[in-house]
Amino acid sequence: MSDIKLSICIPTYNRARHLEKALANFADHYEIPFPYEIVVSDNASQDDTRAVVEHFTAKGLPIRYFRQRENCGGVRNVDSAFRHARGVYSMYHADDDSLVIDGLVNAVNYLDAHSDVGVCYAPWYLHNEVEGMDTGLFYENPSDLKFAKDAFEQVFSFLIERHVFPEVAVFRSSVLRSAWQDRHFAFVYFASLAHLLAKSSVAFLRKPFYRAVMQSSAGRDRTQAGHEEAMTAWDRYRGGLEYYLNFGARRGVVRLTPERRALFDKQIQQFTATRMSVAMRMWVNRKDYLRAYEICSRLVYAGFGEHPMVQQYRQALAVPAAVQSLALLVSGAAEVEKLLLKGFSNPDALEKMLRELGLREDIAVLTDEAGLQPADTARTAVFVAKEADRQPFLDRGFFPGLVLCEADIADTIVL
């Protein structure tokens, strides 16, 4: 049996500054009362990641470092870190996050005391490192809960009712070895939960042992993987839950009668709609109104038009999404150098909005056609307020696909 109690597995790629901060926590702040190792799996970084690791290894941290020959993708690099783990237990640790040591000790003690449990999940803090404060918990669990092996339906109900994502966990390494498998169209943590539940009991603890850093003191330019995933991954969340239920059905522990399948489908749809509404808000915050509009359209179709967040954005998205459509359409047309706005009461405000929403800086915006020469027709897009204003420009030789009226754009945005 390994004398290492816990392997803390850190996949990383080109984020030496963040990894340095994470490892400094182990060197300067954490007091972990059992033997542990840090497994760093470097996804072929081109920065000074290796030097950072060597620095902390020299300071005495129990680091084992492995470097990929080429970038193999995030999930496969997580798997690499797990495969190299030698501890009785293993856990994932992002290269920019931090631990809550008393909660971690609690999780390890729980596994020590419950030999039938293959994994302990727990909620995690969302943390603003710039201001030095936690801003909330990603789901809450009022008490420690243990689910028996193959309790697929009971765990599914728990996930749906409490909107739980089984991500932050301490795994029994012997169980994790075959339970962790990459999946492409199914959210890997739901799929892996199915594999784990087929092998052992699973526990969801009340006490957090992890902080996900949302605002980092090591630089505002970093990509926050969970944040980015939340903006795009709702179909994989749906796929993960479907995979989970199918896995249980194939094991004979989930009953998929027509009535129960309809119930499961409704529950998955509601779960996914919540995540889609969050993604919609995040795209609005990025001023990507077209992506937000697409999500809103799907939510309305699915019957969630009365959802508070959908109602909030449903009408407000129409104008910015339409203007952004125009900005991207004109910007994407090769060799277009000018955009003429014709017949608008406030062209300056329209130009400002177009710039904010993606119109290329090198495209000149005109409100007066007097200076246009015959040679400009091939390099100028025209946006007119009324359909009747199109024909004069077509008669002068402007390209039909680049003479647009307001209705052309507005008709594509329907909520």
Side-chain angles (χ1 to χ4, degrees):
M1 184 175 181
S2 173
D3 59 353
I4 299 171
K5 176 74 79 170
L6 177 66
S7 295
I8 300 167
C9 301
I10 305 181
T12 190
Y13 175 65
N14 279 350
R15 304 215 300 183
R17 286 181 299 160
H18 300 285
L19 180 63
E20 181 177 22
K21 177 175 58 65
L23 294 178
N25 284 330
F26 288 90
D28 302 331
H29 302 297
Y30 298 156
E31 293 185 9
I32 299 177
F34 44 72
Y36 72 96
E37 66 173 359
I38 302 168
V39 179
V40 175
S41 186
D42 182 353
N43 213 356
S45 296
Q46 301 302 309
D47 62 3
D48 58 346
T49 291
R50 184 188 293 272
V52 167
V53 170
E54 289 174 349
H55 169 76
F56 283 99
T57 301
K59 292 185 70 171
L61 283 188
I63 301 175
R64 297 168 59 234
Y65 173 79
F66 302 89
R67 189 177 191 278
Q68 301 281 6
R69 296 178 62 183
E70 59 184 15
N71 190 314
C72 62
V75 175
R76 289 180 63 190
N77 198 42
V78 173
D79 181 69
S80 168
F82 284 150
R83 298 297 164 189
H84 285 294
R86 297 185 300 186
V88 177
Y89 308 124
S90 302
M91 69 171 294
Y92 165 82
H93 185 310
D95 58 10
D96 54 355
D97 289 341
S98 60
L99 300 175
V100 182
I101 299 303
D102 62 337
L104 181 62
V105 171
N106 176 68
V108 169
N109 288 343
Y110 187 97
L111 285 166
D112 283 344
H114 298 82
S115 60
D116 61 319
V117 173
V119 56
C120 283
Y121 296 102
W124 62 93
Y125 292 111
L126 304 175
H127 187 69
N128 184 329
E129 199 172 61
V130 176
E131 298 183 7
M133 60 182 291
D134 295 324
T135 58
L137 274 176
F138 198 109
Y139 84 84
E140 293 188 29
N141 197 17
S143 61
D144 293 346
L145 295 173
K146 185 172 82 166
F147 295 92
K149 177 178 177 289
D150 278 330
F152 275 76
E153 293 195 14
Q154 296 93 323
V155 172
F156 178 80
S157 296
F158 172 73
L159 298 177
I160 295 295
E161 290 168 7
R162 303 211 63 84
H163 210 81
V164 169
F165 278 70
E167 295 185 52
V168 170
V170 178
F171 304 93
R172 195 176 298 276
S173 297
S174 59
V175 176
L176 179 66
R177 182 173 61 249
S178 58
W180 178 270
Q181 299 288 336
D182 189 8
R183 292 293 180 263
H184 299 285
F185 307 115
F187 185 57
V188 67
Y189 292 101
F190 290 141
S192 293
L193 172 58
H195 302 163
L196 287 157
L197 196 54
K199 293 179 175 295
S200 68
S201 301
V202 303
F204 291 84
L205 304 183
R206 178 187 63 83
K207 196 169 186 178
F209 53 81
Y210 196 83
R211 283 189 168 91
V213 174
M214 309 306 292
Q215 292 83 30
S216 174
S217 62
R220 298 175 181 269
D221 58 341
R222 107 223 202 268
T223 299
Q224 210 285 334
H227 187 86
E228 298 296 315
E229 185 170 68
M231 300 174 74
T232 59
W234 59 88
D235 279 327
R236 288 197 295 115
Y237 299 153
R238 183 196 308 275
L241 291 168
E242 291 170 347
Y243 179 103
Y244 171 95
L245 288 171
N246 182 67
F247 198 90
R250 300 286 70 79
R251 290 183 59 78
V253 294
V254 172
R255 294 177 293 120
L256 285 183
T257 64
E259 295 79 10
R260 291 182 62 75
R261 188 189 300 274
L263 174 61
F264 289 143
D265 286 347
K266 182 178 180 180
Q267 291 174 313
I268 291 172
Q269 186 180 53
Q270 290 173 334
F271 184 98
T272 306
T274 298
R275 301 316 306 166
M276 290 175 73
S277 67
V278 171
M280 179 177 61
R281 171 177 54 80
M282 294 168 79
W283 284 117
V284 167
N285 289 343
R286 283 199 179 184
K287 294 188 176 181
D288 195 325
Y289 298 106
L290 281 174
R291 282 183 170 85
Y293 160 71
E294 290 181 41
I295 298 171
C296 189
S297 295
R298 291 182 60 181
L299 285 168
V300 172
Y301 168 78
F304 295 94
E306 302 307 311
H307 187 285
M309 196 174 295
V310 177
Q311 285 188 320
Q312 176 184 348
Y313 290 119
R314 191 170 180 177
Q315 297 305 319
L317 280 171
V319 171
V323 173
Q324 194 161 52
S325 292
L326 176 63
L328 298 180
L329 185 156
V330 173
S331 295
E335 298 190 14
V336 167
E337 299 173 353
K338 299 174 183 179
L339 170 63
L340 173 63
L341 304 178
K342 179 72 173 180
F344 295 95
S345 60
N346 194 344
D348 290 341
L350 178 55
E351 178 186 358
K352 180 180 178 182
M353 196 171 184
L354 285 164
R355 296 291 188 199
E356 290 177 348
L357 299 182
L359 183 67
R360 291 198 332 253
E361 289 298 324
D362 62 303
I363 294 178
V365 176
L366 310 176
T367 57
D368 184 356
E369 60 188 286
L372 289 176
Q373 303 299 318
D376 291 327
T377 58
R379 299 191 299 272
T380 302
V382 180
F383 187 52
V384 299
K386 300 176 182 178
E387 172 65 28
D389 293 333
R390 293 183 75 244
Q391 192 60 46
F393 290 98
L394 300 179
D395 292 343
R396 291 168 56 184
F398 287 84
F399 292 175
L402 288 173
V403 181
L404 303 160
C405 72
E406 190 170 357
D408 292 331
I409 303 300
D411 287 351
T412 66
I413 307 296
V414 179
L415 282 170

